[in-house]
PDB file of all heavy atoms in Angstrom:
ATOM      1  N   GLN A   1    -166.551  49.380-205.965  1.00 95.00           N
ATOM      2  CA  GLN A   1    -166.850  47.990-206.282  1.00 95.00           C
ATOM      3  C   GLN A   1    -166.784  47.694-207.779  1.00 95.00           C
ATOM      4  O   GLN A   1    -166.791  46.528-208.177  1.00 95.00           O
ATOM      5  CB  GLN A   1    -168.239  47.635-205.748  1.00 95.00           C
ATOM      6  CG  GLN A   1    -168.308  47.592-204.224  1.00 95.00           C
ATOM      7  CD  GLN A   1    -169.736  47.514-203.706  1.00 95.00           C
ATOM      8  OE1 GLN A   1    -170.696  47.429-204.480  1.00 95.00           O
ATOM      9  NE2 GLN A   1    -169.896  47.556-202.385  1.00 95.00           N
ATOM     10  N   LEU A   2    -166.685  48.724-208.592  1.00 96.00           N
ATOM     11  CA  LEU A   2    -166.616  48.508-210.033  1.00 96.00           C
ATOM     12  C   LEU A   2    -165.278  47.857-210.402  1.00 96.00           C
ATOM     13  O   LEU A   2    -164.219  48.288-209.937  1.00 96.00           O
ATOM     14  CB  LEU A   2    -166.776  49.836-210.774  1.00 96.00           C
ATOM     15  CG  LEU A   2    -168.134  50.536-210.598  1.00 96.00           C
ATOM     16  CD1 LEU A   2    -168.102  51.926-211.211  1.00 96.00           C
ATOM     17  CD2 LEU A   2    -169.251  49.692-211.228  1.00 96.00           C
ATOM     18  N   PRO A   3    -165.275  46.836-211.246  1.00 96.00           N
ATOM     19  CA  PRO A   3    -164.041  46.080-211.523  1.00 96.00           C
ATOM     20  C   PRO A   3    -162.961  46.892-212.226  1.00 96.00           C
ATOM     21  O   PRO A   3    -161.775  46.557-212.130  1.00 96.00           O
ATOM     22  CB  PRO A   3    -164.532  44.925-212.398  1.00 96.00           C
ATOM     23  CG  PRO A   3    -165.818  45.405-212.989  1.00 96.00           C
ATOM     24  CD  PRO A   3    -166.448  46.276-211.949  1.00 96.00           C
ATOM     25  N   TYR A   4    -163.323  47.948-212.930  1.00 96.00           N
ATOM     26  CA  TYR A   4    -162.343  48.727-213.676  1.00 96.00           C
ATOM     27  C   TYR A   4    -161.824  49.933-212.890  1.00 96.00           C
ATOM     28  O   TYR A   4    -160.978  50.697-213.385  1.00 96.00           O
ATOM     29  CB  TYR A   4    -162.924  49.198-215.009  1.00 96.00           C
ATOM     30  CG  TYR A   4    -164.281  49.862-214.895  1.00 96.00           C
ATOM     31  CD1 TYR A   4    -164.408  51.206-214.574  1.00 96.00           C
ATOM     32  CD2 TYR A   4    -165.449  49.128-215.108  1.00 96.00           C
ATOM     33  CE1 TYR A   4    -165.649  51.817-214.474  1.00 96.00           C
ATOM     34  CE2 TYR A   4    -166.694  49.716-215.003  1.00 96.00           C
ATOM     35  CZ  TYR A   4    -166.788  51.056-214.688  1.00 96.00           C
ATOM     36  OH  TYR A   4    -168.024  51.649-214.577  1.00 96.00           O
ATOM     37  N   VAL A   5    -162.295  50.122-211.668  1.00 96.00           N
ATOM     38  CA  VAL A   5    -161.839  51.230-210.826  1.00 96.00           C
ATOM     39  C   VAL A   5    -160.709  50.754-209.913  1.00 96.00           C
ATOM     40  O   VAL A   5    -160.874  49.817-209.125  1.00 96.00           O
ATOM     41  CB  VAL A   5    -162.996  51.808-209.988  1.00 96.00           C
ATOM     42  CG1 VAL A   5    -162.473  52.812-208.962  1.00 96.00           C
ATOM     43  CG2 VAL A   5    -164.025  52.474-210.905  1.00 96.00           C
ATOM     44  N   ALA A   6    -159.549  51.380-210.038  1.00 95.00           N
ATOM     45  CA  ALA A   6    -158.402  51.021-209.203  1.00 95.00           C
ATOM     46  C   ALA A   6    -158.490  51.678-207.832  1.00 95.00           C
ATOM     47  O   ALA A   6    -158.092  51.079-206.817  1.00 95.00           O
ATOM     48  CB  ALA A   6    -157.101  51.441-209.888  1.00 95.00           C
ATOM     49  N   TRP A   7    -158.994  52.919-207.803  1.00 94.00           N
ATOM     50  CA  TRP A   7    -159.114  53.645-206.531  1.00 94.00           C
ATOM     51  C   TRP A   7    -160.068  54.806-206.727  1.00 94.00           C
ATOM     52  O   TRP A   7    -160.155  55.394-207.813  1.00 94.00           O
ATOM     53  CB  TRP A   7    -157.749  54.178-206.079  1.00 94.00           C
ATOM     54  CG  TRP A   7    -157.802  54.967-204.796  1.00 94.00           C
ATOM     55  CD1 TRP A   7    -157.824  54.473-203.532  1.00 94.00           C
ATOM     56  CD2 TRP A   7    -157.853  56.390-204.667  1.00 94.00           C
ATOM     57  NE1 TRP A   7    -157.890  55.500-202.614  1.00 94.00           N
ATOM     58  CE2 TRP A   7    -157.897  56.690-203.284  1.00 94.00           C
ATOM     59  CE3 TRP A   7    -157.864  57.450-205.570  1.00 94.00           C
ATOM     60  CZ2 TRP A   7    -157.960  58.000-202.791  1.00 94.00           C
ATOM     61  CZ3 TRP A   7    -157.924  58.757-205.090  1.00 94.00           C
ATOM     62  CH2 TRP A   7    -157.970  59.017-203.730  1.00 94.00           C
ATOM     63  N   ALA A   8    -160.797  55.121-205.673  1.00 95.00           N
ATOM     64  CA  ALA A   8    -161.658  56.303-205.680  1.00 95.00           C
ATOM     65  C   ALA A   8    -161.618  56.933-204.296  1.00 95.00           C
ATOM     66  O   ALA A   8    -161.599  56.230-203.291  1.00 95.00           O
ATOM     67  CB  ALA A   8    -163.092  55.937-206.062  1.00 95.00           C
ATOM     68  N   GLY A   9    -161.551  58.264-204.275  1.00 94.00           N
ATOM     69  CA  GLY A   9    -161.490  58.956-202.990  1.00 94.00           C
ATOM     70  C   GLY A   9    -161.900  60.401-203.123  1.00 94.00           C
ATOM     71  O   GLY A   9    -162.035  60.940-204.234  1.00 94.00           O
ATOM     72  N   ILE A  10    -162.118  61.040-201.993  1.00 94.00           N
ATOM     73  CA  ILE A  10    -162.486  62.441-201.959  1.00 94.00           C
ATOM     74  C   ILE A  10    -161.390  63.287-202.599  1.00 94.00           C
ATOM     75  O   ILE A  10    -160.204  62.924-202.539  1.00 94.00           O
ATOM     76  CB  ILE A  10    -162.735  62.884-200.495  1.00 94.00           C
ATOM     77  CG1 ILE A  10    -163.467  64.232-200.442  1.00 94.00           C
ATOM     78  CG2 ILE A  10    -161.432  62.947-199.725  1.00 94.00           C
ATOM     79  CD1 ILE A  10    -163.961  64.587-199.043  1.00 94.00           C
ATOM     80  N   TYR A  11    -161.752  64.365-203.268  1.00 96.00           N
ATOM     81  CA  TYR A  11    -160.749  65.251-203.853  1.00 96.00           C
ATOM     82  C   TYR A  11    -159.968  65.892-202.718  1.00 96.00           C
ATOM     83  O   TYR A  11    -160.510  66.656-201.925  1.00 96.00           O
ATOM     84  CB  TYR A  11    -161.404  66.324-204.712  1.00 96.00           C
ATOM     85  CG  TYR A  11    -160.416  67.153-205.500  1.00 96.00           C
ATOM     86  CD1 TYR A  11    -159.896  66.690-206.703  1.00 96.00           C
ATOM     87  CD2 TYR A  11    -159.984  68.391-205.034  1.00 96.00           C
ATOM     88  CE1 TYR A  11    -158.984  67.448-207.428  1.00 96.00           C
ATOM     89  CE2 TYR A  11    -159.079  69.148-205.746  1.00 96.00           C
ATOM     90  CZ  TYR A  11    -158.579  68.676-206.939  1.00 96.00           C
ATOM     91  OH  TYR A  11    -157.664  69.432-207.650  1.00 96.00           O
ATOM     92  N   PRO A  12    -158.655  65.611-202.592  1.00 94.00           N
ATOM     93  CA  PRO A  12    -157.910  66.020-201.399  1.00 94.00           C
ATOM     94  C   PRO A  12    -157.441  67.474-201.456  1.00 94.00           C
ATOM     95  O   PRO A  12    -156.946  67.932-202.482  1.00 94.00           O
ATOM     96  CB  PRO A  12    -156.713  65.069-201.395  1.00 94.00           C
ATOM     97  CG  PRO A  12    -156.517  64.698-202.825  1.00 94.00           C
ATOM     98  CD  PRO A  12    -157.861  64.765-203.496  1.00 94.00           C
ATOM     99  N   LYS A  13    -157.598  68.166-200.339  1.00 93.00           N
ATOM    100  CA  LYS A  13    -157.101  69.545-200.296  1.00 93.00           C
ATOM    101  C   LYS A  13    -155.574  69.568-200.360  1.00 93.00           C
ATOM    102  O   LYS A  13    -154.972  70.606-200.670  1.00 93.00           O
ATOM    103  CB  LYS A  13    -157.586  70.254-199.041  1.00 93.00           C
ATOM    104  CG  LYS A  13    -156.982  69.757-197.742  1.00 93.00           C
ATOM    105  CD  LYS A  13    -157.464  70.581-196.566  1.00 93.00           C
ATOM    106  CE  LYS A  13    -156.796  70.129-195.257  1.00 93.00           C
ATOM    107  NZ  LYS A  13    -157.256  70.935-194.100  1.00 93.00           N
ATOM    108  N   GLN A  14    -154.927  68.426-200.113  1.00 92.00           N
ATOM    109  CA  GLN A  14    -153.461  68.353-200.140  1.00 92.00           C
ATOM    110  C   GLN A  14    -152.880  68.595-201.531  1.00 92.00           C
ATOM    111  O   GLN A  14    -151.679  68.843-201.661  1.00 92.00           O
ATOM    112  CB  GLN A  14    -152.995  66.990-199.618  1.00 92.00           C
ATOM    113  CG  GLN A  14    -153.160  66.795-198.120  1.00 92.00           C
ATOM    114  CD  GLN A  14    -154.582  66.422-197.726  1.00 92.00           C
ATOM    115  OE1 GLN A  14    -155.437  66.169-198.592  1.00 92.00           O
ATOM    116  NE2 GLN A  14    -154.853  66.353-196.435  1.00 92.00           N
ATOM    117  N   VAL A  15    -153.696  68.481-202.581  1.00 93.00           N
ATOM    118  CA  VAL A  15    -153.181  68.727-203.928  1.00 93.00           C
ATOM    119  C   VAL A  15    -153.495  70.141-204.409  1.00 93.00           C
ATOM    120  O   VAL A  15    -153.106  70.524-205.510  1.00 93.00           O
ATOM    121  CB  VAL A  15    -153.754  67.709-204.948  1.00 93.00           C
ATOM    122  CG1 VAL A  15    -153.444  66.292-204.527  1.00 93.00           C
ATOM    123  CG2 VAL A  15    -155.257  67.903-205.154  1.00 93.00           C
ATOM    124  N   LYS A  16    -154.181  70.919-203.608  1.00 94.00           N
ATOM    125  CA  LYS A  16    -154.705  72.195-204.098  1.00 94.00           C
ATOM    126  C   LYS A  16    -153.666  73.310-204.171  1.00 94.00           C
ATOM    127  O   LYS A  16    -153.739  74.174-205.048  1.00 94.00           O
ATOM    128  CB  LYS A  16    -155.882  72.638-203.243  1.00 94.00           C
ATOM    129  CG  LYS A  16    -157.121  71.754-203.377  1.00 94.00           C
ATOM    130  CD  LYS A  16    -158.296  72.340-202.622  1.00 94.00           C
ATOM    131  CE  LYS A  16    -159.553  71.489-202.777  1.00 94.00           C
ATOM    132  NZ  LYS A  16    -160.721  72.094-202.108  1.00 94.00           N
ATOM    133  N   VAL A  17    -152.719  73.346-203.239  1.00 93.00           N
ATOM    134  CA  VAL A  17    -151.787  74.470-203.181  1.00 93.00           C
ATOM    135  C   VAL A  17    -150.500  74.123-203.934  1.00 93.00           C
ATOM    136  O   VAL A  17    -149.840  73.123-203.632  1.00 93.00           O
ATOM    137  CB  VAL A  17    -151.460  74.844-201.721  1.00 93.00           C
ATOM    138  CG1 VAL A  17    -150.504  76.031-201.676  1.00 93.00           C
ATOM    139  CG2 VAL A  17    -152.741  75.167-200.946  1.00 93.00           C
ATOM    140  N   GLU A  18    -150.154  74.946-204.907  1.00 91.00           N
ATOM    141  CA  GLU A  18    -148.935  74.728-205.682  1.00 91.00           C
ATOM    142  C   GLU A  18    -147.718  74.699-204.754  1.00 91.00           C
ATOM    143  O   GLU A  18    -147.613  75.511-203.832  1.00 91.00           O
ATOM    144  CB  GLU A  18    -148.782  75.848-206.712  1.00 91.00           C
ATOM    145  CG  GLU A  18    -147.612  75.669-207.651  1.00 91.00           C
ATOM    146  CD  GLU A  18    -147.462  76.836-208.610  1.00 91.00           C
ATOM    147  OE1 GLU A  18    -147.964  77.933-208.327  1.00 91.00           O
ATOM    148  OE2 GLU A  18    -146.815  76.633-209.660  1.00 91.00           O
ATOM    149  N   PRO A  19    -146.778  73.776-204.979  1.00 88.00           N
ATOM    150  CA  PRO A  19    -145.635  73.655-204.074  1.00 88.00           C
ATOM    151  C   PRO A  19    -144.870  74.950-203.832  1.00 88.00           C
ATOM    152  O   PRO A  19    -144.417  75.205-202.721  1.00 88.00           O
ATOM    153  CB  PRO A  19    -144.752  72.608-204.783  1.00 88.00           C
ATOM    154  CG  PRO A  19    -145.723  71.756-205.528  1.00 88.00           C
ATOM    155  CD  PRO A  19    -146.799  72.700-205.985  1.00 88.00           C
ATOM    156  N   VAL A  20    -144.727  75.796-204.884  1.00 86.00           N
ATOM    157  CA  VAL A  20    -143.963  77.030-204.698  1.00 86.00           C
ATOM    158  C   VAL A  20    -144.611  77.948-203.670  1.00 86.00           C
ATOM    159  O   VAL A  20    -143.937  78.744-203.017  1.00 86.00           O
ATOM    160  CB  VAL A  20    -143.785  77.765-206.052  1.00 86.00           C
ATOM    161  CG1 VAL A  20    -145.108  78.352-206.529  1.00 86.00           C
ATOM    162  CG2 VAL A  20    -142.720  78.845-205.947  1.00 86.00           C
ATOM    163  N   LEU A  21    -145.920  77.818-203.467  1.00 87.00           N
ATOM    164  CA  LEU A  21    -146.611  78.642-202.475  1.00 87.00           C
ATOM    165  C   LEU A  21    -146.411  78.113-201.062  1.00 87.00           C
ATOM    166  O   LEU A  21    -146.742  78.792-200.093  1.00 87.00           O
ATOM    167  CB  LEU A  21    -148.109  78.714-202.795  1.00 87.00           C
ATOM    168  CG  LEU A  21    -148.472  79.511-204.045  1.00 87.00           C
ATOM    169  CD1 LEU A  21    -149.951  79.335-204.379  1.00 87.00           C
ATOM    170  CD2 LEU A  21    -148.155  80.987-203.853  1.00 87.00           C
ATOM    171  N   LYS A  22    -145.878  76.900-200.962  1.00 79.00           N
ATOM    172  CA  LYS A  22    -145.603  76.331-199.648  1.00 79.00           C
ATOM    173  C   LYS A  22    -144.176  76.611-199.203  1.00 79.00           C
ATOM    174  O   LYS A  22    -143.820  76.358-198.048  1.00 79.00           O
ATOM    175  CB  LYS A  22    -145.816  74.815-199.678  1.00 79.00           C
ATOM    176  CG  LYS A  22    -147.223  74.389-200.092  1.00 79.00           C
ATOM    177  CD  LYS A  22    -147.298  72.879-200.223  1.00 79.00           C
ATOM    178  CE  LYS A  22    -148.646  72.423-200.747  1.00 79.00           C
ATOM    179  NZ  LYS A  22    -148.712  70.957-200.936  1.00 79.00           N
ATOM    180  N   ALA A  23    -143.333  77.092-200.122  1.00 66.00           N
ATOM    181  CA  ALA A  23    -141.929  77.367-199.808  1.00 66.00           C
ATOM    182  C   ALA A  23    -141.811  78.777-199.267  1.00 66.00           C
ATOM    183  O   ALA A  23    -142.368  79.717-199.823  1.00 66.00           O
ATOM    184  CB  ALA A  23    -141.067  77.211-201.057  1.00 66.00           C
ATOM    185  N   HIS A  24    -141.089  78.935-198.167  1.00 55.00           N
ATOM    186  CA  HIS A  24    -140.983  80.236-197.517  1.00 55.00           C
ATOM    187  C   HIS A  24    -139.526  80.631-197.348  1.00 55.00           C
ATOM    188  O   HIS A  24    -138.656  79.788-197.139  1.00 55.00           O
ATOM    189  CB  HIS A  24    -141.669  80.212-196.154  1.00 55.00           C
ATOM    190  CG  HIS A  24    -143.088  79.750-196.227  1.00 55.00           C
ATOM    191  ND1 HIS A  24    -144.062  80.469-196.858  1.00 55.00           N
ATOM    192  CD2 HIS A  24    -143.693  78.612-195.783  1.00 55.00           C
ATOM    193  CE1 HIS A  24    -145.216  79.814-196.782  1.00 55.00           C
ATOM    194  NE2 HIS A  24    -145.014  78.683-196.146  1.00 55.00           N
ATOM    195  N   GLY A  25    -139.289  81.926-197.424  1.00 47.00           N
ATOM    196  CA  GLY A  25    -137.938  82.440-197.214  1.00 47.00           C
ATOM    197  C   GLY A  25    -137.211  82.635-198.528  1.00 47.00           C
ATOM    198  O   GLY A  25    -137.511  81.992-199.532  1.00 47.00           O
TER     199      GLY A  25
END
């Protein structure tokens, strides 16, 4: 509700794993 906040949300686990660790093969 603060006027200067554009967005607020839970810290997502989707940002935790570096992309290279998701690549296989």
